[in-house]
Amino acid sequence: MSRPRSFHLYLQQVFTKGAALLILFLICLFVSFLVCFYQVRVVDGTDAHAAEAEQAVSREWNRCVAMLDELGRNPVLIRALQDGKADQELAQQLYDITNSGVVRGDFLLLDSKRKPVMTSLYQDNLGLVMENRDIQDMLHRAGADGVRDLRYGPVILPLQHSQQEQYYLLRPVWDETGTAGYIFLFFRQEGFQELTDAWPAEQIVIMDTLDHVVFSTNPQFVDAMGKLRTPLTMEGKQTVQGRSYYVSRPARGDKLQVIAFTAIPHTDSLLQAVLLFLGCIGIAACLAVFLVARKLSRKVLKPLDGLLVAVREGKNGNLDYRLEPEQSLQEFQVIYQEFNRMMREIHRLMERNKELAERKRLMEVRNLEGQMDPHFAFNVMEGLRYEILFDPKKASELAVSFARLMRYSIHRGEGDVSLETDLQYVKDYLALQKMRFGERLSYDVVIDPDLYHCQIPKLLLQPVVENSIVHGLENVRSIHISITGKREEDMLVLSVIDNGSGISPEKMASLRRLLTSDVVAPSHIGLYNVHRVLRLRYGRTAGIRIEGDAQGFRVFLSLPMVKEEVSHYDDV
């Protein structure tokens, strides 16, 4: 077994570990706060902004496509393209498409020969558009393949007067003869800028399904091919042009997708500085606690040291030792007062117990003897109740025998009787039980007459014989009980042996534990009481020893040889 630690040292370690754990807890709490803040404000916020932007852009896209489809089937538009001249109503519809939405733009209406019919572009910008090779290639492909589907894509048109076009929608118009013309819808760069200004994300990139960048708030995010410099699969923390950003998951729509960027400048260096500061504070606090813990523990434990000294004095038998009242701490003052009171009470009880020890021993012996009488009487009266019902004559004989036995048992003149007297009582008891059980019970008593004058406690053998009858007759047809006695040196050894139902090893172990116990429930008033009487009267050399197996049960009673001339119960 390891040697106990000093409480002083233990208290110092508790103070030091407590401070270290507190600092560690604060650091973990701060780091957790940073992680949660980053997750909620940066990660979740950026993803939410991208999703909101995608929904707004998709709504604008769907609005423009629906209006273009409606115009493409409008007879007024088809007639204007055939005549090469548009009226005021058609012009108003086209202006509504480009000016009523969130993203402002420009329109261009061309006839089947690719000549302008109507446009919102300035005249000089119109010339630049018509001369643009990309525009001409788009028109050529739209007229050559005969496909009526909507066409769209990025286009860079460095026009004047704030008409810098960023993206286009091309809708071929068909009549019964073929292609009647084309409707171009251009989205301005400033229109996308106004749209993205509505979201808190620092940077917004809008792309189509072919990953072409439609618009970017930061041109540095777009390479020369019109693609995003950061791969779409790389979400999370990314470095773009030497600056750290959180890149959201792409919010994908049917035709467009949106990615949001939130700058996280100097986050790593800031976190490192904070952690370094907290670490230094924690180390300094631990050192301070370690330095003051020794002195603090001495001051705190001074009253406890005094109490420890008093306990040692009491352990060594000095019951007159008293503690001086503690003036500084109320709790220890109460403990000191209670300790002094307890020592005085212990001293008084020890003196009292010296007087009560002998009285208690005598009282316990008398109490155990008193328990035997009602135990036996209960069993006999129970048998008498049944005999009255079935055989009144036999019941009468049983009642007379029971009366003789009771006269013996209630005679309290002496605590000890001769072995001969107690044997006569047992013989009467066995004769009584013989009348009850008939051929099921037989017995014999073989004891040297020289032992008849040995003194034994009154009613010593009857509970043992009764135990053999009650338990030995269980599950057997008949039982034979043999009572013997002999002298072994200065001890008288009496035995009660039966060939009844026997006892299992588990039950035998339980009975042996019962006999060695100092406290037994009142229900166990047979063999235990006999054993207890012998131990209390004659010491630990006296008592009961039991043996048993499937062939029977054996009880051996040992007590000192004491011979005296006593009066017999001749009148019994």
Side-chain angles (χ1 to χ4, degrees):
M1 183 176 179
S2 60
R3 183 178 180 182
R5 294 184 297 172
S6 168
F7 188 67
H8 288 268
L9 180 59
Y10 171 75
L11 193 60
Q12 295 178 29
Q13 293 176 350
V14 168
F15 286 156
T16 304
K17 291 180 180 179
L21 290 175
L22 178 61
I23 297 302
L24 181 61
F25 173 75
L26 292 177
I27 293 176
C28 294
L29 189 64
F30 180 76
V31 173
S32 300
F33 170 77
L34 290 180
V35 172
C36 293
F37 179 82
Y38 178 81
Q39 179 67 33
V40 174
R41 294 296 301 274
V42 177
V43 177
D44 296 343
T46 305
D47 291 342
H49 298 157
E52 293 175 5
E54 185 278 325
Q55 293 176 2
V57 172
S58 295
R59 284 195 300 269
E60 183 67 15
W61 173 280
N62 294 332
R63 184 191 70 85
C64 295
V65 171
M67 296 186 73
L68 285 178
D69 289 341
E70 182 180 356
L71 281 174
R73 296 187 297 270
N74 192 333
V76 177
L77 176 65
I78 296 175
R79 187 168 55 254
L81 292 175
Q82 293 173 347
D83 297 340
K85 182 179 180 181
D87 57 11
Q88 187 66 29
E89 180 183 355
L90 179 60
Q92 186 61 45
Q93 291 182 5
L94 291 172
Y95 274 104
D96 288 342
I97 295 177
T98 57
N99 296 328
S100 62
V102 178
V103 181
R104 296 182 181 274
D106 298 286
F107 67 86
L108 173 61
L109 185 62
L110 301 176
D111 60 14
S112 59
K113 297 181 180 180
R114 304 176 190 174
K115 292 183 179 180
V117 176
M118 180 178 292
T119 183
S120 62
L121 296 170
Y122 289 102
Q123 193 64 33
D124 51 352
N125 289 334
L126 176 60
L128 294 175
V129 170
M130 298 305 297
E131 295 174 358
N132 187 277
R133 269 182 84 176
D134 294 335
I135 296 295
Q136 295 299 323
D137 290 341
M138 296 173 201
L139 291 172
H140 177 73
R141 289 196 297 270
D145 54 21
V147 179
R148 301 187 182 188
D149 294 340
L150 180 72
R151 299 174 182 270
Y152 53 88
V155 61
I156 305 299
L157 295 174
L159 306 181
Q160 305 298 321
H161 314 295
S162 301
Q163 290 184 333
Q164 297 181 0
E165 311 302 346
Q166 194 80 16
Y167 205 76
Y168 75 92
L169 297 179
L170 174 59
R171 175 69 162 79
V173 180
W174 292 76
D175 58 12
E176 62 276 4
T177 61
T179 303
Y182 308 91
I183 304 175
F184 266 106
L185 184 62
F186 299 100
F187 293 106
R188 296 181 184 177
Q189 183 176 359
E190 63 178 12
F192 283 109
Q193 187 65 51
E194 293 175 359
L195 180 66
T196 56
D197 288 342
W199 297 290
E202 184 172 343
Q203 305 293 342
I204 293 288
V205 176
I206 303 174
M207 297 180 295
D208 59 16
T209 55
L210 300 177
D211 295 339
H212 292 110
V213 176
V214 177
F215 173 77
S216 173
T217 55
N218 189 343
Q220 296 180 349
F221 291 176
V222 185
D223 60 17
M225 301 297 295
K227 299 283 187 175
L228 187 65
R229 295 183 183 274
T230 302
L232 296 180
T233 56
M234 299 296 291
E235 62 180 86
K237 184 180 177 182
Q238 299 291 330
T239 301
V240 182
Q241 298 295 320
R243 191 175 184 184
S244 297
Y245 291 90
Y246 172 78
V247 182
S248 71
R249 297 187 300 271
R252 303 182 187 273
D254 294 337
K255 300 298 181 180
L256 298 174
Q257 53 185 334
V258 177
I259 299 177
F261 293 74
T262 298
I264 45 176
H266 312 298
T267 301
D268 294 340
S269 59
L270 178 61
L271 179 61
Q272 293 174 0
V274 171
L275 293 179
L276 179 61
F277 173 76
L278 290 178
C280 293
I281 292 296
I283 294 174
C286 291
L287 290 176
V289 171
F290 178 78
L291 294 176
V292 302
R294 186 179 182 87
K295 183 177 180 180
L296 183 62
S297 63
R298 286 181 178 178
K299 184 176 181 180
V300 171
L301 297 177
K302 182 179 179 181
L304 190 61
D305 291 338
L307 182 61
L308 183 60
V309 172
V311 171
R312 290 172 178 170
E313 290 292 330
K315 178 182 177 182
N316 295 331
N318 185 9
L319 300 180
D320 296 325
Y321 185 85
R322 299 293 182 269
L323 286 168
E324 294 296 330
E326 174 63 35
Q327 303 296 333
S328 59
L329 300 174
Q330 180 181 0
E331 290 80 2
F332 278 99
Q333 184 177 6
V334 173
I335 293 176
Y336 281 17
Q337 292 174 353
E338 289 299 313
F339 179 83
N340 292 336
R341 186 192 63 79
M342 181 186 66
M343 295 298 291
R344 289 192 295 268
E345 184 69 12
I346 291 175
H347 189 271
R348 184 182 68 82
L349 291 176
M350 289 186 66
E351 294 297 324
R352 179 184 176 187
N353 287 341
K354 289 179 182 179
E355 179 182 355
L356 292 179
E358 183 64 19
R359 294 182 180 272
K360 181 179 179 182
R361 183 183 67 83
L362 296 176
M363 289 176 63
E364 186 172 1
V365 171
R366 291 184 180 272
N367 182 56
L368 292 174
E369 288 180 344
Q371 289 180 355
M372 293 180 185
D373 292 342
H375 183 68
F376 172 68
F378 174 81
N379 289 330
V380 173
M381 294 301 294
E382 184 71 14
L384 180 59
R385 182 171 68 89
Y386 284 102
E387 290 298 335
I388 291 174
L389 296 176
F390 297 104
D391 192 348
K393 182 179 179 180
K394 187 176 181 179
S396 177
E397 295 174 357
L398 183 63
V400 172
S401 298
F402 177 66
R404 294 173 59 194
L405 293 177
M406 291 302 296
R407 289 178 61 192
Y408 173 81
S409 63
I410 64 177
H411 192 282
R412 297 295 181 181
E414 299 170 277
D416 293 342
V417 297
S418 66
L419 176 60
E420 182 181 10
T421 301
D422 208 60
L423 280 175
Q424 184 60 46
Y425 169 76
V426 173
K427 290 177 182 178
D428 289 339
Y429 171 79
L430 286 170
L432 190 65
Q433 297 292 355
K434 175 68 175 177
M435 281 192 280
R436 177 184 178 188
F437 293 103
E439 294 181 357
R440 293 190 63 195
L441 173 63
S442 62
Y443 63 92
D444 63 81
V445 180
V446 181
I447 295 180
D448 188 355
D450 293 339
L451 302 177
Y452 281 174
H453 297 294
C454 292
Q455 297 296 296
I456 64 173
K458 188 178 179 180
L459 302 173
L460 181 66
L461 289 173
Q462 184 270 338
V464 181
V465 175
E466 181 185 6
N467 181 78
S468 293
I469 295 175
V470 172
H471 298 288
L473 276 173
E474 293 179 350
N475 303 321
V476 296
R477 185 172 184 82
S478 62
I479 184 174
H480 180 81
I481 300 176
S482 178
I483 302 175
T484 62
K486 62 180 179 178
R487 178 175 182 172
E488 293 183 358
E489 297 182 352
D490 58 348
M491 300 293 288
L492 172 64
V493 179
L494 304 174
S495 63
V496 179
I497 302 174
D498 66 72
N499 63 348
S501 58
I503 187 171
S504 65
E506 294 79 11
K507 183 66 175 177
M508 175 65 69
S510 176
L511 284 176
R512 285 173 175 167
R513 288 194 298 270
L514 182 70
L515 293 177
T516 59
S517 175
D518 291 333
V519 179
V520 177
S523 59
H524 298 97
I525 57 175
L527 296 178
Y528 177 80
N529 281 349
V530 176
H531 178 72
R532 188 67 173 162
V533 167
L534 293 176
R535 283 292 176 93
L536 289 173
R537 291 293 303 275
Y538 306 112
R540 301 191 64 83
T541 58
I544 281 180
R545 177 172 57 87
I546 58 175
E547 297 178 359
D549 49 32
Q551 283 72 42
F553 189 72
R554 299 173 290 280
V555 180
F556 303 91
L557 301 88
S558 300
L559 64 160
M561 292 281 295
V562 179
K563 286 187 177 184
E564 288 185 6
E565 292 293 331
V566 297
S567 61
H568 296 177
Y569 296 93
D570 297 329
D571 57 338
V572 176

